[in-house]
Amino acid sequence: DTGVSQDPRHKITKRGQNVTFRCDPISEHNRLYWYRQTLGQGPEFLTYFQNEAQLEKSRLLSDRFSAERPKGSFSTLEIQRTEQGDSAMYLCASRRAAGELFFGEGSRLTVL
Amino acid sequence: AQSVTQPDIHITVSEGASLELRCNYSYGATPYLFWYVQSPGQGLQLLLKYFSGDTLVQGIKGFEAEFKRSQSSFNLRKPSVHWSDAAEYFCAVGDYGGSQGNLIFGKGTKLSVKP
């Protein structure tokens, strides 16, 4: 396994700008998850894909957030009109149908 | 409401001493329970999981955890801590039997190890 890969690892942006994060899951994993982790907190579920279908979205995922997994492989998470409250670590994870979750190293967002 | 509580924000133990990290959960269905470890700037690594069967589960790096349904607890233990165990530990509960499988995490316990 090459592991779950996330890019970029760190993004600094100004308030109001758009940012996009990419996640490449482990190749044979059909389930992909996005989580957000703020300082001093555990990861919080944002959204979940099974293949290319987005099956669940948390209420944390406001209308400024959009996630896609167009071909059932990599996924992108876009945040439009960023706010300072969006500053967090965005974690991607993947798994097989009945397997454990494997997490990437995360993409840290800092909104100035 | 579904939740996970880790009562200890920060614990310091001496190298070689035993360790117990507490985790209590509230979950409506049969819980699937997990412990993850996170080193600074890194993602989360699964230490161990409980789905069913023997309530004492063994994990990697010499960790074990015991599921106690009556106490809604899933405490993590290690008999002898190593300096490399210093990290943040997260307890999580989920429903892998369902279609989603997303996890609910506690706020974590930061472990420091004294030489």
Side-chain angles (χ1 to χ4, degrees):
Chain A
D1 288 340
T2 56
V4 178
S5 177
Q6 293 190 245
D7 183 72
R9 293 291 309 280
H10 196 180
K11 177 74 175 178
I12 301 173
T13 190
K14 293 182 179 179
R15 188 178 52 178
Q17 298 294 305
N18 299 342
V19 296
T20 299
F21 300 113
R22 176 181 169 123
C23 172
D24 286 273
I26 295 171
S27 59
E28 64 269 26
H29 289 185
N30 65 340
R31 287 161 164 78
L32 186 148
Y33 302 76
W34 285 99
Y35 284 82
R36 181 179 72 181
Q37 185 178 20
T38 53
L39 202 61
Q41 302 293 318
E44 296 172 293
F45 169 76
L46 291 178
T47 190
Y48 154 70
F49 290 85
Q50 184 170 321
N51 300 311
E52 67 275 10
Q54 188 174 19
L55 297 186
E56 188 176 359
K57 292 193 290 186
S58 161
R59 64 180 183 276
L60 294 175
L61 212 66
S62 76
D63 55 6
R64 297 184 297 105
F65 287 69
S66 63
E68 294 182 341
R69 193 182 183 198
K71 296 183 180 179
S73 56
F74 73 91
S75 175
T76 58
L77 176 69
E78 181 184 16
I79 309 173
Q80 296 181 325
R81 305 182 303 280
T82 52
E83 302 173 355
Q84 288 186 325
D86 297 330
S87 295
M89 176 79 85
Y90 291 86
L91 294 164
C92 178
S94 70
R95 68 179 182 98
R96 296 187 186 92
E100 67 179 77
L101 270 179
F102 287 85
F103 282 84
E105 295 189 336
S107 293
R108 180 169 296 282
L109 173 65
T110 302
V111 182
L112 302 176
Chain B
Q2 300 167 355
S3 65
V4 175
T5 302
Q6 294 181 246
D8 304 306
I9 296 173
H10 190 186
I11 285 181
T12 300
V13 300
S14 298
E15 191 168 18
S18 63
L19 170 71
E20 182 169 24
L21 302 182
R22 296 182 291 164
C23 172
N24 292 95
Y25 67 89
S26 173
Y27 198 75
T30 300
Y32 293 76
L33 295 156
F34 307 82
W35 275 98
Y36 284 85
V37 62
Q38 186 178 36
S39 297
Q42 303 294 312
L44 284 82
Q45 181 183 21
L46 180 67
L47 285 176
L48 48 78
K49 59 184 182 286
Y50 172 77
F51 282 4
S52 64
D54 192 347
T55 57
L56 184 64
V57 293
Q58 303 296 320
I60 62 171
K61 304 184 180 186
F63 285 92
E64 66 178 27
E66 186 170 13
F67 170 57
K68 293 185 177 180
R69 184 184 297 276
S70 62
Q71 298 177 19
S72 298
S73 70
F74 188 57
N75 294 349
L76 181 72
R77 301 195 294 250
K78 186 169 185 178
S80 177
V81 169
H82 188 263
W83 64 265
S84 60
D85 293 324
E88 190 147 23
Y89 292 79
F90 293 94
C91 181
V93 64
D95 176 16
Y96 268 37
S99 60
Q100 289 80 23
N102 52 293
L103 301 181
I104 299 167
F105 285 85
K107 293 186 177 183
T109 298
K110 183 176 180 181
L111 174 64
S112 297
V113 181
K114 291 190 299 185

